[in-house]
């Protein structure tokens, strides 16, 4: 997984919105089953954008491992 960029975190901090982390597992094929989407708990970003992006990345990594 690549490092997260800070754009979403910045928009979350500026607007006060929470981020709903999610992970997609599997390969998408039209009209077939096989993709799983896992959602995490809402995440409230902090003013430290780099730290928040790293925390969010860790949450998504854990969702991928479940």
């Amino acid at each position: 997984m690549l490092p997260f960029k800070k754009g979403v975190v910045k928009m979350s901090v500026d607007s006060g919105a929470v981020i709903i982390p999610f992970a997609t597992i599997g390969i998408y094929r039209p009209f077939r089953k096989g993709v799983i989407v896992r959602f995490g708990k809402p995440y409230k970003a902090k003013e430290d954008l780099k730290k928040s992006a790293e925390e969010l990345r860790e949450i998504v990594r854990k969702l991928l491992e479940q």
Side-chain angles (χ1 to χ4, degrees), residues 7 12 15 22 26-28 30-32 36-37 45 49 53 57 59-60 63 65:
S12 173
S15 68
F22 70 95
I27 299 171
Y28 172 74
F31 309 109
R32 295 185 185 175
I36 298 169
V37 180
L49 301 181
R57 183 180 188 276
I59 291 168
V60 172
L63 288 172
E65 291 178 352

Side-chain angles (χ1 to χ4, degrees), residues 2 6 11 13-14 16-17 19 21 30 32 34-35 40-42 45 51 60:
L2 297 172
K6 299 176 210 131
M11 287 192 301
V13 169
D14 290 348
I19 299 169
R32 295 185 185 175
V35 174
K41 295 178 182 177
K51 184 175 179 182
V60 172

